[in-house]
Amino acid sequence: MESTFRQGIIYSLTAYLLWGILPIYWKTLGVVQAFEILSNRFIWSCVFVWILIIASGRVKSFLAETQDIFTNPKQALAMLAAAITISFNWGLFIWAVNDGRIVETSMGYYINPLVSIVFGVFFLKERLDNWQMAAVICAVIGVGTMVWNLGQLPWVSVSLAVSFALYGLIKKCL
């Protein structure tokens, strides 16, 4: 159990480190259109995942799972909706970084947990206890202060937050 926990911490820290470095990398690609960067990310992710699937010997189970998903129209539609939603999110994120809207992108990921909580309460009927409600109120005050200081509605931030929370909701409901 302890090694699994430690492994999770290492994976989490690595993911957040990469998440923090990627905008710097994309910013250096400012002359490249966001759609082209997104397309390359999609293509190379597919290539890398296929290599992992083949190397791990899981081709048959992957194909069986894929067939199961696409023989169920509701599940296939939900997967398509999730793919479109996360593609929009990533495309907007890459575009915003390349357009110099790094503060707005960062703010979007501060707003995202709040939107996810709202989605959880309204769509999944989750309930917050008093401590959780107090934490949400503190977060709303913090995010509200950031938005107020910005002086305008941060449409990039809101779009990133809503699209990522919607992606999470779709995936949770699968």
Side-chain angles (χ1 to χ4, degrees), residues 15 40 44 47 50 56 58 64 76 102 128 158 161:
N40 270 285
W44 289 109
V47 169
W50 265 111
S56 65
R58 297 184 176 172
I102 295 173
L128 301 176
V158 173

mmCIF file with all atom_site columns, all heavy atoms in Angstrom, residues 15 40 44 47 50 56 58 64 76 102 128 158 161:
data_model
loop_
_atom_site.group_PDB
_atom_site.id
_atom_site.type_symbol
_atom_site.label_atom_id
_atom_site.label_alt_id
_atom_site.label_comp_id
_atom_site.label_asym_id
_atom_site.label_entity_id
_atom_site.label_seq_id
_atom_site.pdbx_PDB_ins_code
_atom_site.Cartn_x
_atom_site.Cartn_y
_atom_site.Cartn_z
_atom_site.occupancy
_atom_site.B_iso_or_equiv
_atom_site.pdbx_formal_charge
_atom_site.auth_seq_id
_atom_site.auth_comp_id
_atom_site.auth_asym_id
_atom_site.auth_atom_id
_atom_site.pdbx_PDB_model_num
ATOM 1   N N   . ALA A 1 15  ? 3.322   14.719 -13.310 1.00 0.00 ? 15  ALA A N   1
ATOM 2   C CA  . ALA A 1 15  ? 2.269   15.276 -14.167 1.00 0.00 ? 15  ALA A CA  1
ATOM 3   C C   . ALA A 1 15  ? 2.165   16.786 -13.981 1.00 0.00 ? 15  ALA A C   1
ATOM 4   O O   . ALA A 1 15  ? 2.072   17.533 -14.966 1.00 0.00 ? 15  ALA A O   1
ATOM 5   C CB  . ALA A 1 15  ? 0.929   14.612 -13.862 1.00 0.00 ? 15  ALA A CB  1
ATOM 6   N N   . ASN A 1 40  ? -0.856  17.705 -33.869 1.00 0.00 ? 40  ASN A N   1
ATOM 7   C CA  . ASN A 1 40  ? 0.360   16.932 -33.608 1.00 0.00 ? 40  ASN A CA  1
ATOM 8   C C   . ASN A 1 40  ? 0.288   16.219 -32.269 1.00 0.00 ? 40  ASN A C   1
ATOM 9   O O   . ASN A 1 40  ? 0.710   15.071 -32.146 1.00 0.00 ? 40  ASN A O   1
ATOM 10  C CB  . ASN A 1 40  ? 1.596   17.841 -33.662 1.00 0.00 ? 40  ASN A CB  1
ATOM 11  C CG  . ASN A 1 40  ? 2.173   17.917 -35.037 1.00 0.00 ? 40  ASN A CG  1
ATOM 12  O OD1 . ASN A 1 40  ? 2.814   16.979 -35.495 1.00 0.00 ? 40  ASN A OD1 1
ATOM 13  N ND2 . ASN A 1 40  ? 1.929   19.023 -35.715 1.00 0.00 ? 40  ASN A ND2 1
ATOM 14  N N   . TRP A 1 44  ? 0.666   12.189 -32.231 1.00 0.00 ? 44  TRP A N   1
ATOM 15  C CA  . TRP A 1 44  ? 1.773   11.570 -31.506 1.00 0.00 ? 44  TRP A CA  1
ATOM 16  C C   . TRP A 1 44  ? 1.305   10.864 -30.240 1.00 0.00 ? 44  TRP A C   1
ATOM 17  O O   . TRP A 1 44  ? 1.916   9.865  -29.825 1.00 0.00 ? 44  TRP A O   1
ATOM 18  C CB  . TRP A 1 44  ? 2.873   12.589 -31.235 1.00 0.00 ? 44  TRP A CB  1
ATOM 19  C CG  . TRP A 1 44  ? 3.564   12.942 -32.502 1.00 0.00 ? 44  TRP A CG  1
ATOM 20  C CD1 . TRP A 1 44  ? 3.497   14.120 -33.187 1.00 0.00 ? 44  TRP A CD1 1
ATOM 21  C CD2 . TRP A 1 44  ? 4.375   12.068 -33.296 1.00 0.00 ? 44  TRP A CD2 1
ATOM 22  N NE1 . TRP A 1 44  ? 4.223   14.041 -34.343 1.00 0.00 ? 44  TRP A NE1 1
ATOM 23  C CE2 . TRP A 1 44  ? 4.777   12.792 -34.443 1.00 0.00 ? 44  TRP A CE2 1
ATOM 24  C CE3 . TRP A 1 44  ? 4.797   10.753 -33.168 1.00 0.00 ? 44  TRP A CE3 1
ATOM 25  C CZ2 . TRP A 1 44  ? 5.582   12.248 -35.429 1.00 0.00 ? 44  TRP A CZ2 1
ATOM 26  C CZ3 . TRP A 1 44  ? 5.600   10.206 -34.154 1.00 0.00 ? 44  TRP A CZ3 1
ATOM 27  C CH2 . TRP A 1 44  ? 5.990   10.941 -35.266 1.00 0.00 ? 44  TRP A CH2 1
ATOM 28  N N   . VAL A 1 47  ? 0.184   7.490  -31.553 1.00 0.00 ? 47  VAL A N   1
ATOM 29  C CA  . VAL A 1 47  ? 1.353   6.655  -31.857 1.00 0.00 ? 47  VAL A CA  1
ATOM 30  C C   . VAL A 1 47  ? 1.958   6.107  -30.563 1.00 0.00 ? 47  VAL A C   1
ATOM 31  O O   . VAL A 1 47  ? 2.232   4.903  -30.450 1.00 0.00 ? 47  VAL A O   1
ATOM 32  C CB  . VAL A 1 47  ? 2.407   7.463  -32.663 1.00 0.00 ? 47  VAL A CB  1
ATOM 33  C CG1 . VAL A 1 47  ? 3.730   6.713  -32.753 1.00 0.00 ? 47  VAL A CG1 1
ATOM 34  C CG2 . VAL A 1 47  ? 1.880   7.799  -34.053 1.00 0.00 ? 47  VAL A CG2 1
ATOM 35  N N   . TRP A 1 50  ? -0.311  3.469  -28.930 1.00 0.00 ? 50  TRP A N   1
ATOM 36  C CA  . TRP A 1 50  ? -0.243  2.207  -29.673 1.00 0.00 ? 50  TRP A CA  1
ATOM 37  C C   . TRP A 1 50  ? 1.045   1.455  -29.356 1.00 0.00 ? 50  TRP A C   1
ATOM 38  O O   . TRP A 1 50  ? 1.030   0.231  -29.186 1.00 0.00 ? 50  TRP A O   1
ATOM 39  C CB  . TRP A 1 50  ? -0.379  2.437  -31.179 1.00 0.00 ? 50  TRP A CB  1
ATOM 40  C CG  . TRP A 1 50  ? -1.782  2.275  -31.634 1.00 0.00 ? 50  TRP A CG  1
ATOM 41  C CD1 . TRP A 1 50  ? -2.610  3.250  -32.079 1.00 0.00 ? 50  TRP A CD1 1
ATOM 42  C CD2 . TRP A 1 50  ? -2.553  1.065  -31.652 1.00 0.00 ? 50  TRP A CD2 1
ATOM 43  N NE1 . TRP A 1 50  ? -3.842  2.722  -32.366 1.00 0.00 ? 50  TRP A NE1 1
ATOM 44  C CE2 . TRP A 1 50  ? -3.827  1.383  -32.114 1.00 0.00 ? 50  TRP A CE2 1
ATOM 45  C CE3 . TRP A 1 50  ? -2.280  -0.256 -31.304 1.00 0.00 ? 50  TRP A CE3 1
ATOM 46  C CZ2 . TRP A 1 50  ? -4.838  0.440  -32.250 1.00 0.00 ? 50  TRP A CZ2 1
ATOM 47  C CZ3 . TRP A 1 50  ? -3.284  -1.204 -31.441 1.00 0.00 ? 50  TRP A CZ3 1
ATOM 48  C CH2 . TRP A 1 50  ? -4.535  -0.854 -31.904 1.00 0.00 ? 50  TRP A CH2 1
ATOM 49  N N   . SER A 1 56  ? 2.958   -3.818 -24.190 1.00 0.00 ? 56  SER A N   1
ATOM 50  C CA  . SER A 1 56  ? 2.401   -4.476 -23.002 1.00 0.00 ? 56  SER A CA  1
ATOM 51  C C   . SER A 1 56  ? 1.605   -5.730 -23.351 1.00 0.00 ? 56  SER A C   1
ATOM 52  O O   . SER A 1 56  ? 1.110   -6.414 -22.461 1.00 0.00 ? 56  SER A O   1
ATOM 53  C CB  . SER A 1 56  ? 1.516   -3.502 -22.214 1.00 0.00 ? 56  SER A CB  1
ATOM 54  O OG  . SER A 1 56  ? 0.380   -3.144 -22.975 1.00 0.00 ? 56  SER A OG  1
ATOM 55  N N   . ARG A 1 58  ? -1.307  -5.968 -24.924 1.00 0.00 ? 58  ARG A N   1
ATOM 56  C CA  . ARG A 1 58  ? -2.740  -5.797 -24.643 1.00 0.00 ? 58  ARG A CA  1
ATOM 57  C C   . ARG A 1 58  ? -3.556  -5.410 -25.871 1.00 0.00 ? 58  ARG A C   1
ATOM 58  O O   . ARG A 1 58  ? -4.608  -4.790 -25.742 1.00 0.00 ? 58  ARG A O   1
ATOM 59  C CB  . ARG A 1 58  ? -2.921  -4.764 -23.546 1.00 0.00 ? 58  ARG A CB  1
ATOM 60  C CG  . ARG A 1 58  ? -2.304  -5.211 -22.240 1.00 0.00 ? 58  ARG A CG  1
ATOM 61  C CD  . ARG A 1 58  ? -2.562  -4.240 -21.147 1.00 0.00 ? 58  ARG A CD  1
ATOM 62  N NE  . ARG A 1 58  ? -2.025  -4.758 -19.906 1.00 0.00 ? 58  ARG A NE  1
ATOM 63  C CZ  . ARG A 1 58  ? -1.964  -4.087 -18.806 1.00 0.00 ? 58  ARG A CZ  1
ATOM 64  N NH1 . ARG A 1 58  ? -2.410  -2.845 -18.776 1.00 0.00 ? 58  ARG A NH1 1
ATOM 65  N NH2 . ARG A 1 58  ? -1.464  -4.613 -17.718 1.00 0.00 ? 58  ARG A NH2 1
ATOM 66  N N   . ALA A 1 64  ? -11.035 -5.443 -27.974 1.00 0.00 ? 64  ALA A N   1
ATOM 67  C CA  . ALA A 1 64  ? -12.302 -5.922 -27.412 1.00 0.00 ? 64  ALA A CA  1
ATOM 68  C C   . ALA A 1 64  ? -13.022 -4.792 -26.670 1.00 0.00 ? 64  ALA A C   1
ATOM 69  O O   . ALA A 1 64  ? -14.236 -4.607 -26.823 1.00 0.00 ? 64  ALA A O   1
ATOM 70  C CB  . ALA A 1 64  ? -12.056 -7.101 -26.483 1.00 0.00 ? 64  ALA A CB  1
ATOM 71  N N   . ALA A 1 76  ? -20.778 5.207  -26.920 1.00 0.00 ? 76  ALA A N   1
ATOM 72  C CA  . ALA A 1 76  ? -19.993 5.748  -28.034 1.00 0.00 ? 76  ALA A CA  1
ATOM 73  C C   . ALA A 1 76  ? -20.221 7.249  -28.161 1.00 0.00 ? 76  ALA A C   1
ATOM 74  O O   . ALA A 1 76  ? -19.270 8.018  -28.381 1.00 0.00 ? 76  ALA A O   1
ATOM 75  C CB  . ALA A 1 76  ? -20.359 5.027  -29.328 1.00 0.00 ? 76  ALA A CB  1
ATOM 76  N N   . ILE A 1 102 ? -1.620  33.874 -20.524 1.00 0.00 ? 102 ILE A N   1
ATOM 77  C CA  . ILE A 1 102 ? -1.204  32.868 -19.548 1.00 0.00 ? 102 ILE A CA  1
ATOM 78  C C   . ILE A 1 102 ? -1.908  33.061 -18.210 1.00 0.00 ? 102 ILE A C   1
ATOM 79  O O   . ILE A 1 102 ? -2.293  32.096 -17.560 1.00 0.00 ? 102 ILE A O   1
ATOM 80  C CB  . ILE A 1 102 ? 0.333   32.856 -19.415 1.00 0.00 ? 102 ILE A CB  1
ATOM 81  C CG1 . ILE A 1 102 ? 0.926   32.403 -20.757 1.00 0.00 ? 102 ILE A CG1 1
ATOM 82  C CG2 . ILE A 1 102 ? 0.787   31.972 -18.278 1.00 0.00 ? 102 ILE A CG2 1
ATOM 83  C CD1 . ILE A 1 102 ? 2.417   32.486 -20.861 1.00 0.00 ? 102 ILE A CD1 1
ATOM 84  N N   . LEU A 1 128 ? -22.369 18.636 0.096   1.00 0.00 ? 128 LEU A N   1
ATOM 85  C CA  . LEU A 1 128 ? -21.178 19.154 0.764   1.00 0.00 ? 128 LEU A CA  1
ATOM 86  C C   . LEU A 1 128 ? -21.446 19.279 2.253   1.00 0.00 ? 128 LEU A C   1
ATOM 87  O O   . LEU A 1 128 ? -22.502 19.753 2.660   1.00 0.00 ? 128 LEU A O   1
ATOM 88  C CB  . LEU A 1 128 ? -20.807 20.534 0.202   1.00 0.00 ? 128 LEU A CB  1
ATOM 89  C CG  . LEU A 1 128 ? -20.520 20.626 -1.294  1.00 0.00 ? 128 LEU A CG  1
ATOM 90  C CD1 . LEU A 1 128 ? -20.260 22.083 -1.686  1.00 0.00 ? 128 LEU A CD1 1
ATOM 91  C CD2 . LEU A 1 128 ? -19.350 19.754 -1.673  1.00 0.00 ? 128 LEU A CD2 1
ATOM 92  N N   . VAL A 1 158 ? -13.119 31.080 -17.991 1.00 0.00 ? 158 VAL A N   1
ATOM 93  C CA  . VAL A 1 158 ? -14.419 30.434 -17.808 1.00 0.00 ? 158 VAL A CA  1
ATOM 94  C C   . VAL A 1 158 ? -14.590 29.294 -18.803 1.00 0.00 ? 158 VAL A C   1
ATOM 95  O O   . VAL A 1 158 ? -15.046 28.197 -18.443 1.00 0.00 ? 158 VAL A O   1
ATOM 96  C CB  . VAL A 1 158 ? -15.562 31.466 -17.925 1.00 0.00 ? 158 VAL A CB  1
ATOM 97  C CG1 . VAL A 1 158 ? -16.919 30.788 -17.920 1.00 0.00 ? 158 VAL A CG1 1
ATOM 98  C CG2 . VAL A 1 158 ? -15.461 32.505 -16.801 1.00 0.00 ? 158 VAL A CG2 1
ATOM 99  N N   . ALA A 1 161 ? -12.426 26.368 -17.710 1.00 0.00 ? 161 ALA A N   1
ATOM 100 C CA  . ALA A 1 161 ? -12.982 25.740 -16.507 1.00 0.00 ? 161 ALA A CA  1
ATOM 101 C C   . ALA A 1 161 ? -14.222 24.913 -16.826 1.00 0.00 ? 161 ALA A C   1
ATOM 102 O O   . ALA A 1 161 ? -14.351 23.764 -16.395 1.00 0.00 ? 161 ALA A O   1
ATOM 103 C CB  . ALA A 1 161 ? -13.312 26.810 -15.461 1.00 0.00 ? 161 ALA A CB  1
#
